[in-house]
Amino acid sequence: AASASEDPFLGDQIQEALDVVDDALRLYGPSNLIVSFNGGKDAVVVFHLLRACLAHYGHTRRLSRVPRMHAIYFDHKDEFAEIRDFVLEMEQRYSVALSRFNGGFRDGIQACITERRGSQVAFILGTRAGDPNAGCQTSFSPSSDWLPPFMRVNPILNWNYGHVWQFLRSYDLPYCSLYDEGYTSLGKVSDTSHNPRLCRTGGDHNDGAPPSRFLPAFLLADWADERSGRGKTRPDHHAADLAGLDDHGGVTLVVAPAGAAGAGVAATADGERRKSLEDASSACQALAEGLGLDIRLVDMDTPPGQTVLEVLGSFAAVHDFVARAQRAGSSVRIIRALQHTAAAPFESQENASGQACSSSSSSSSSSIDLSPLK
């Protein structure tokens, strides 16, 4: 698999995030560095970044086994059942030492700290700069004064919505099923609904059983609408303005061959890259058979093994195309939608999440291997 540095869109973000987590491990150690895991997409990203850094930590110190991951989960009565199931699945799949709390946030934090008998504790968070609670946080920020003393570690503070899905989909990582049903930001059941920007309106169902009325979260094309569907007033999906469709009536997608983990299979020569583009286009043309879609190659600087395609047609037809690509045995994996409001080259057009975070690390994580993440 290609290394993170070969991804022109995400490579810098991954490297900076690994540097932050690697520094946190060096400062606090595996037992006192706890990932806050609420089952959401951002938490999944930092979960796997910590996995990679723990493996690196054990390898460089010649430990007999990889240190166990420690995590904390705050449950509540208004939680999605799918979130609870996913958290349990991740706990069991990766043998996580997970602390569950049903009470208040402050009490749970204090319990974690007390268990460690005076050791300094840090919590890895999935906070991004655009989140409502981000404030003026940096990569390392002390807790607020109403909480027990601990360090907040924010490795993905400078990531945006596209970076999150590029990471999860490129490395083919598991995430909560609600995101494939049209939810883009998850809170409580009472204040969370499908994102209206992903609503399917009408159209034929070409493959028998009707698909979901919503496109998956990774196809949201206007990232400013990530939190649409959050709040106690549920939107009228049928009246929604479908901003995910561009002016041509379609979407621009980043795609990769199914089964390729990481940034994909590197194409080292122009001829190989062109063949990769043509193969991806042919596979997508086959998936789109009978849907009346126009599929065009977009020549952009992409991660190795990934291709950008413009898929033009009705929203319903695009939905059916995506449903086919999502099925087991498909030859194509859709990574995400390109941000439709940008017009600059691929490597910089969506990478506007703010000033790159500065890390105190001296690139000690440059050798951390992400290839085993899947």
Side-chain angles (χ1 to χ4, degrees):
S3 69
S5 63
E6 294 178 283
D7 187 333
F9 175 63
L10 185 60
D12 288 345
Q13 272 67 27
I14 290 180
Q15 189 59 62
E16 290 164 1
L18 290 172
D19 286 342
V20 170
V21 178
D22 200 47
D23 276 351
L25 273 174
R26 180 172 54 85
L27 293 170
Y28 297 96
S31 297
N32 298 321
L33 183 60
I34 306 161
V35 62
S36 179
F37 190 68
N38 64 3
K41 60 186 184 300
D42 304 314
V44 176
V45 171
V46 296
F47 180 100
H48 287 290
L49 291 171
L50 179 56
R51 272 186 64 214
C53 287
L54 283 170
H56 179 70
Y57 183 95
H59 175 73
T60 55
R61 288 159 179 79
R62 299 184 179 180
L63 303 180
S64 60
R65 64 182 64 183
V66 174
R68 193 177 187 190
M69 182 188 298
H70 291 259
I72 187 170
Y73 168 59
F74 294 91
D75 200 353
H76 52 84
K77 63 181 181 181
D78 201 21
E79 181 71 281
F80 281 96
E82 292 88 345
I83 285 286
R84 288 197 183 99
D85 291 344
F86 177 66
V87 170
L88 177 61
E89 175 192 335
M90 295 289 281
E91 176 189 13
Q92 296 175 343
R93 179 172 181 174
Y94 297 107
S95 300
V96 179
L98 180 70
S99 299
R100 284 181 171 80
F101 294 96
N102 295 304
F105 181 73
R106 188 185 191 284
D107 292 341
I109 293 290
Q110 184 61 67
C112 268
I113 294 173
T114 302
E115 287 174 2
R116 284 155 177 81
R117 300 180 180 180
S119 297
Q120 290 187 328
V121 176
F123 290 87
I124 299 182
L125 309 175
T127 301
R128 290 186 280 125
D131 293 345
N133 65 336
C136 297
Q137 292 186 53
T138 59
S139 298
F140 289 86
S141 291
S143 58
S144 301
D145 56 10
W146 63 274
L147 289 169
F150 65 89
M151 184 62 72
R152 293 176 290 191
V153 180
N154 300 306
I156 63 169
L157 196 63
N158 291 297
W159 289 36
N160 59 36
Y161 186 83
H163 292 133
V164 169
W165 284 111
Q166 180 79 17
F167 183 81
L168 295 178
R169 299 286 297 172
S170 289
Y171 288 96
D172 201 13
L173 298 170
Y175 52 81
C176 180
S177 61
L178 291 171
Y179 290 113
D180 282 342
E181 298 173 12
Y183 293 86
T184 55
S185 179
L186 298 176
K188 298 177 181 178
V189 172
S190 59
D191 65 8
T192 305
S193 59
H194 303 86
N195 192 317
R197 302 298 190 182
L198 296 174
C199 181
R200 170 195 172 108
T201 55
D204 296 328
H205 303 304
N206 293 278
D207 297 321
S212 163
R213 288 173 47 227
F214 296 88
L215 290 170
F218 57 84
L219 291 186
L220 183 68
D222 189 342
W223 302 340
D225 288 326
E226 175 183 356
R227 294 182 66 84
S228 294
R230 291 292 296 274
K232 294 185 178 180
T233 302
R234 294 178 180 265
D236 180 356
H237 298 307
H238 295 289
D241 172 24
L242 299 174
L245 289 176
D246 63 24
D247 294 337
H248 300 288
V251 292
T252 305
L253 304 176
V254 183
V255 301
V265 180
T268 57
D270 289 343
E272 293 176 34
R273 180 174 181 273
R274 175 53 57 184
K275 185 177 186 305
S276 175
L277 293 172
E278 292 172 351
D279 289 347
S281 179
S282 297
C284 288
Q285 294 285 359
L287 278 179
E289 184 177 357
L291 297 180
L293 293 171
D294 181 13
I295 296 179
R296 306 173 184 175
L297 282 172
V298 179
D299 191 9
M300 302 178 86
D301 186 11
T302 62
Q306 295 185 9
T307 303
V308 178
L309 298 173
E310 192 175 22
V311 182
L312 303 176
S314 71
F315 190 81
V318 171
H319 188 293
D320 288 343
F321 172 79
V322 171
R324 292 179 181 182
Q326 290 281 82
R327 291 175 184 164
S330 170
S331 58
V332 172
R333 183 169 75 253
I334 298 174
I335 303 298
R336 62 182 176 90
L338 224 62
Q339 189 178 22
H340 83 284
T341 56
F346 182 87
E347 68 271 20
S348 61
Q349 69 173 64
E350 300 147 306
N351 201 357
S353 55
Q355 183 71 27
C357 67
S358 59
S359 170
S360 59
S361 168
S362 57
S363 300
S364 59
S365 66
S366 59
S367 61
I368 294 178
D369 185 12
L370 292 177
S371 61
L373 278 184
K374 182 180 177 183

